[in-house]
Amino acid sequence: MFRTALRNVLAHKARLLMTVLAVMLGVAFVSGTLVFTDTFGNAYKNKSAKSFDHVSVAIQPDGVPVDADKQPGRLTDGLLKKAAALPGADSAIGSVSGFTALADKDGKLVGGEWGTTGTNFYPGKDGKDPRYDFVKGAAPKSAGDIALDSRTAERTGFRVGDNVRYSTDGPVRTAKVSGIFDTSDGSVVAGGSLVVLDNGTALKALNKTEYDEIDVKAAAGTSESALKSSVEKILPKDTDAVTGSQLSADQERMIEQQTSSMSQVLLIFAGIALFVGIFIIANTFTMLVAQRTKELALMRAVGASRRQVTRSVLIEAFLVGLVAAVTGFALGIGVAVGLEALMNSGGASLPDGPLVIGPTTVLSALVIGVVVTMLAAWLPGRRAAKIPPVAAMNSVHATPTTRGLVVRNTIGSLIVAIGVPMLFMDDNYAVAGGAAVMLVGFIVLTPLLSRPFIAASAPLLKPFGVTGKLSRLNSVRNPRRTASTAAALMIGLTLITAMTVVATSMGSAINKMAAGSMKADYSVSMANYESLTPEVRQKLDKLPEVEASSPLRSAYGEVDGSFSTVNGVDPKTFGDLVGLDFTSGSVAGLKDGGALVDADTAKDKGLEVGDTFPVKFEDDKKTVELKVAGVYESNEMLSGVFAPTSVVDPHLDKVVDKQVLVKMKGGASDRAENSIVKALGDNPAITIQDKDAISNAVAGGINMLLNMLYGLLAMAILIAVLGVINTLAMSVFERKHEIGMLRAIGLDRAKVKQMVRIEAVLISLFGAVLGIGLGLFLGWVAGDSISSSVSTYAMEIPFGRIAIFLGIAALVGVLAAMWPARSAARLNPLQAIKAE
């Protein structure tokens, strides 16, 4: 039977190619997603990784911030010198780091919003810092020096002696590149940038009053535990000593936690890919075995047992699956590269990293390609083996029994009935599960649904005359095959339509929120959304184009016994810069020292306009009594308590701004934005956003996910094209005799091609309409849960994109019909009439 299966595979190369393609795309769908997941996770691990080769014991603060008014610094130079002088200590290094925006030669931010880090150079006894290996120039020695990592220097074109511009908290500084170094820092390896300043300059630029960490290196012959015991004797209050081994283990665990949720999201896509892949593989082999029914019956007639017939089909499936697994895995690597490029083009800014191909991915490709293919072939092979030889040789395309379809429709209806109630539960996992269950139910019901859809298309097909009618009748001749072919496209379009509806509606909600909440033309903030120096607002107020501005500062404390944020604003201008939806009171009360309270807080605390409430800030100073000047409806952009800066500033360790709102006299324009950029010294650390930019930033994550889904949809469309080709090829094979008769009575080749094309378009549009309909329903369900937390959310149907999806589906049908239509038109009428 093995030789028979092998000869059968080699004798039908065209059929082998079609089957391999179907299986290959399913494998590529899954393996590509898994490769991308591993690469994505590894890149982020590298980005967060830090080498501890120079650390035997690290002295760290315990997390409680230093208050200069209450206690002295902890990780000071004095402690550093004590640590270096301990018995068993070879050296000690004090390290600080923080966001440092570096401008390239065009003035653009290097490394992205989070990718540029500044740190200090702390020379040891030999004048070197073991963290950096200088390959050109020398370490920075003064405030006018800066050193760059070699990757950043290569990427930007900076050389030793060049002047560069950088910023940490607002003001722009200029320094000369003193040296270029290599480093094992994971952020640099993953595509970030690292700049090094001399120790004193780094502490000042990064606003540090003490070191972030003191790393002690053990001398030869001293163990980590022994050195830790010595270090613990000199530890100040609120500090800890941790061994390098423990730091490494903690880091690995932290990175795993950070990347696990990311990996889970991406693995959901792999699960979707696997589902579509298995579905198409099973469908392809069902048609493949059905095409060989007569051949298998002949084997039974000459003595082959049922088990042998089934085994021959499984051997063929094994060979096909093995070839498809290898080729699909190779294609999957290309899919992973394409997904990365797609996400980066959508603004994801993924970190650089090598392509990771794990053993799990290879094993998954083999399992899907071989095991799944064999499982998919087992049921149709067993079904073919059970048909009596005489009956099988009499007909190669037995129509499914009515009883079988009734059972299938009953099961499908029950599955949908189970899934729909789950969509309206409060638990998100239950909703996701309900969507999956309902989708499976509709897949089972597609034969039932195909008949009314294709019947409804009859008026549209009248202009095509006889060929239109024949195409419609052929489409419903085998409803199982029509439905299973359309299901691949249905799955893809269900997902993408639902996501597009949510993304479009969410984008509009954010735009409404930004337009309604923000009267200011621009929001000025740090690129990494850290604190701004008040100097920024002072510079902006000097511009003649600026009509009004207000800082936004945050202090934390207890509002009437509950933790809350108190935002400090300029009471004179705040009302001109934001649009609050007041339920009572107004913004005018801010000028008299009052406070604005969001409606939820007011309801929870029973507050009304004119009431006073206590605020106890984190600095534990005297409790402040604030008077409610207005109650407003909060949203994702504006929430909490707003009070004058004069109330908030005394409770801040350092007066800094989260952002500055700016209103220009002539409104937002390129000229106005350029004036702000120049006033702030063309600062790479500062981001200037108008309303559209703020909306785009909030919606960026949704758009990135949507771009990924579009990439997955492209794969689903490829699989759907192949499924339609297989179905039409099978249909043409079964109808050789019928096509020959049609040709003999006058149907020309052009009409035969038209008949096959219309059938393909009907099948594709059936899958598209069903998928879009389900997607709209699921988008409504998802939006209903979102609307409870986003007040401006309202479902919007993206009619333009839906029209594009339908156009793509029709194009899928036309393209898929090219080869089967050509084959049908080239049939010799006399030979076809004689075909059994």
Side-chain angles (χ1 to χ4, degrees):
M1 297 307 295
F2 178 79
R3 289 196 299 271
T4 301
L6 184 60
R7 281 197 302 268
N8 187 63
V9 168
L10 297 177
H12 300 87
K13 294 183 177 63
R15 187 177 67 206
L16 170 65
L17 178 62
M18 294 296 292
T19 310
V20 166
L21 283 173
V23 180
M24 180 185 72
L25 287 175
V27 172
F29 215 151
V30 178
S31 59
T33 309
L34 291 176
V35 169
F36 176 72
T37 301
D38 293 340
T39 301
F40 191 60
N42 185 69
Y44 270 95
K45 287 180 182 179
N46 287 339
K47 185 172 183 177
S48 303
K50 175 182 175 183
S51 173
F52 296 102
D53 292 342
H54 64 284
V55 184
S56 299
V57 177
I59 304 174
Q60 301 175 329
D62 65 357
V64 179
V66 174
D67 188 332
D69 296 333
K70 289 187 175 183
Q71 63 183 65
R74 295 164 294 183
L75 274 58
T76 60
D77 278 312
L79 178 62
L80 183 60
K81 292 175 181 177
K82 286 182 181 180
L86 285 173
D90 180 64
S91 62
I93 297 172
S95 65
V96 293
S97 65
F99 173 73
T100 303
L102 177 70
D104 62 17
K105 291 185 176 181
D106 296 325
K108 304 297 183 182
L109 179 64
V110 175
E113 297 172 356
W114 311 97
T116 305
T117 303
T119 184
N120 66 320
F121 182 86
Y122 193 92
K125 298 174 184 177
D126 57 358
K128 296 181 180 180
D129 189 323
R131 294 173 293 177
Y132 319 112
D133 179 19
F134 280 84
V135 294
K136 293 180 182 178
K141 296 180 180 179
S142 67
D145 294 337
I146 192 170
L148 309 179
D149 71 85
S150 55
R151 291 171 184 256
T152 298
E154 181 180 356
R155 189 164 67 242
T156 59
F158 286 128
R159 299 180 180 179
V160 174
D162 289 348
N163 288 324
V164 299
R165 299 167 60 253
Y166 72 95
S167 177
T168 56
D169 62 349
V172 180
R173 298 175 173 87
T174 302
K176 182 178 290 185
V177 178
S178 64
I180 296 172
F181 59 89
D182 285 336
T183 177
S184 60
D185 187 280
S187 180
V188 175
V189 174
S193 299
L194 183 67
V195 301
V196 175
L197 308 170
D198 77 280
N199 191 56
T201 302
L203 286 166
K204 183 178 180 181
L206 297 172
N207 296 313
K208 304 286 186 177
T209 58
E210 62 175 39
Y211 294 110
D212 296 336
E213 183 174 293
I214 294 176
D215 299 328
V216 187
K217 178 71 174 177
T222 303
S223 65
E224 285 186 347
S225 57
L227 181 60
K228 181 183 177 183
S229 299
S230 298
V231 169
E232 286 175 341
K233 296 176 182 177
I234 64 167
L235 288 181
K237 183 182 178 182
D238 297 328
T239 59
D240 294 318
V242 186
T243 64
S245 300
Q246 183 62 46
L247 286 173
S248 181
D250 291 345
Q251 173 185 256
E252 186 175 341
R253 184 167 54 254
M254 178 191 68
I255 293 172
E256 187 65 33
Q257 290 173 350
Q258 290 175 342
T259 58
S260 61
S261 58
M262 195 184 312
S263 297
Q264 287 172 6
V265 171
L266 292 172
L267 284 173
I268 290 174
F269 292 119
I272 295 169
L274 178 61
F275 182 75
V276 175
I278 290 175
F279 191 79
I280 292 300
I281 291 168
N283 186 35
T284 301
F285 242 96
T286 299
M287 292 186 290
L288 184 68
V289 173
Q291 189 174 352
R292 293 179 51 208
T293 303
K294 189 173 183 179
E295 177 187 329
L296 295 174
L298 184 60
M299 292 174 61
R300 289 288 315 281
V302 297
S305 65
R306 289 183 178 180
R307 184 175 297 179
Q308 286 178 313
V309 170
T310 304
R311 191 185 303 157
S312 71
V313 175
L314 292 177
I315 292 171
E316 183 176 349
F318 172 81
L319 296 173
V320 169
L322 187 61
V323 173
V326 175
T327 53
F329 178 73
L331 180 61
I333 296 174
V335 170
V337 174
L339 278 174
E340 184 175 6
L342 185 67
M343 290 187 68
N344 281 329
S345 67
S349 299
L350 300 182
D352 296 333
L355 204 65
V356 177
I357 302 174
T360 303
T361 304
V362 178
L363 182 62
S364 297
L366 290 174
V367 168
I368 295 167
V370 176
V371 177
V372 173
T373 306
M374 293 179 68
L375 288 174
W378 175 77
L379 187 60
R382 183 171 177 270
R383 189 184 300 128
K386 292 174 67 175
I387 299 174
V390 175
M393 285 188 285
N394 186 51
S395 175
V396 296
H397 52 280
T399 303
T401 62
T402 303
R403 179 179 176 276
L405 289 174
V406 169
V407 172
R408 176 169 178 156
N409 294 336
T410 303
I411 294 173
S413 300
L414 290 173
I415 295 174
V416 171
I418 293 171
V420 170
M422 295 172 65
L423 294 173
F424 300 96
M425 294 181 179
D426 293 332
D427 186 80
N428 289 334
Y429 291 103
V431 173
V437 170
M438 191 187 74
L439 188 58
V440 171
F442 271 93
I443 291 171
V444 177
L445 283 174
T446 42
L448 175 66
L449 299 172
S450 64
R451 290 185 178 276
F453 172 84
I454 293 173
S457 67
L460 299 176
L461 298 178
K462 282 186 177 180
F464 297 100
V466 175
T467 54
K469 183 177 181 180
L470 289 172
S471 299
R472 179 171 57 82
L473 294 175
N474 290 333
S475 299
V476 294
R477 176 178 294 186
N478 193 327
R480 281 181 175 173
R481 187 190 303 153
T482 298
S484 58
T485 303
L489 197 58
M490 181 197 77
I491 295 168
L493 282 174
T494 297
L495 296 172
I496 198 63
T497 301
M499 196 65 196
T500 301
V501 167
V502 173
T504 302
S505 304
M506 195 66 186
S508 296
I510 294 167
N511 288 334
K512 290 176 186 175
M513 197 182 298
S517 302
M518 187 172 168
K519 294 180 183 178
D521 296 309
Y522 295 102
S523 169
V524 179
S525 62
M526 287 289 287
N528 66 335
Y529 303 102
E530 291 294 334
S531 301
L532 274 173
T533 173
E535 180 185 344
V536 170
R537 190 210 177 185
Q538 294 169 10
K539 289 183 177 181
L540 293 174
D541 282 343
K542 293 178 181 178
L543 285 175
E545 298 93 337
V546 172
E547 181 178 322
S549 72
S550 173
L552 188 62
R553 298 168 186 166
S554 294
Y556 301 97
E558 291 183 4
V559 175
D560 197 15
S562 300
F563 180 81
S564 184
T565 302
V566 181
N567 302 292
V569 296
D570 187 333
K572 297 178 181 178
T573 59
F574 187 63
D576 299 325
L577 299 168
V578 299
L580 295 175
D581 182 14
F582 283 95
T583 57
S584 60
S586 69
V587 74
L590 277 176
K591 298 177 183 179
D592 300 324
L596 307 179
V597 182
D598 65 87
D600 292 335
T601 301
K603 183 179 179 181
D604 183 51
K605 304 299 179 184
L607 298 175
E608 296 180 354
V609 173
D611 293 345
T612 59
F613 61 95
V615 178
K616 185 178 181 181
F617 291 94
E618 281 189 329
D619 59 358
D620 290 333
K621 291 183 179 179
K622 184 179 178 181
T623 299
V624 178
E625 292 287 336
L626 294 179
K627 185 178 181 179
V628 179
V631 178
Y632 69 95
E633 294 289 347
S634 64
N635 56 45
E636 281 65 29
M637 299 188 71
L638 296 171
S639 62
V641 176
F642 289 94
T645 52
S646 58
V647 173
V648 174
D649 288 356
H651 302 279
L652 298 174
D653 293 334
K654 183 178 181 180
V655 177
V656 291
D657 300 331
K658 286 177 60 180
Q659 59 179 305
V660 178
L661 300 178
V662 184
K663 188 173 184 180
M664 311 299 286
K665 291 180 179 178
S669 65
D670 291 340
R671 183 177 179 181
E673 186 171 342
N674 287 335
S675 67
I676 295 176
V677 170
K678 290 179 180 178
L680 299 178
D682 199 14
N683 195 326
I686 292 178
T687 295
I688 302 166
Q689 296 176 302
D690 58 13
K691 295 177 184 178
D692 290 340
I694 292 173
S695 298
N696 291 337
V698 176
I702 297 174
N703 291 332
M704 181 181 72
L705 190 61
L706 191 60
N707 285 336
M708 183 185 292
L709 270 175
Y710 281 141
L712 294 175
L713 176 63
M715 286 296 297
I717 288 174
L718 284 176
I719 294 176
V721 169
L722 191 61
V724 176
I725 292 174
N726 273 346
T727 294
L728 294 176
M730 181 67 180
S731 181
V732 170
F733 172 80
E734 291 178 349
R735 303 201 317 261
K736 277 184 181 180
H737 185 84
E738 177 185 320
I739 293 171
M741 289 293 294
L742 291 171
R743 288 291 313 282
I745 61 175
L747 195 67
D748 60 24
R749 289 186 175 182
K751 293 293 185 181
V752 172
K753 287 183 179 180
Q754 187 182 70
M755 178 181 68
V756 177
R757 289 195 195 102
I758 294 173
E759 183 180 350
V761 171
L762 277 176
I763 294 173
S764 297
L765 287 178
F766 166 58
V769 169
L770 190 56
I772 290 171
L774 286 173
L776 290 174
F777 176 69
L778 293 178
W780 172 75
V781 171
D784 187 56
S785 61
I786 294 173
S787 61
S788 61
S789 56
V790 181
S791 58
T792 54
Y793 185 93
M795 180 178 172
E796 291 191 10
I797 300 176
F799 290 104
R801 294 194 185 185
I802 288 176
I804 292 174
F805 296 157
L806 288 172
I808 290 173
L811 183 62
V812 165
V814 172
L815 293 176
M818 290 177 65
W819 177 65
R822 185 168 177 268
S823 299
R826 293 179 64 185
L827 287 174
N828 185 297
L830 294 178
Q831 292 180 353
I833 290 172
K834 292 189 296 182
E836 288 291 339

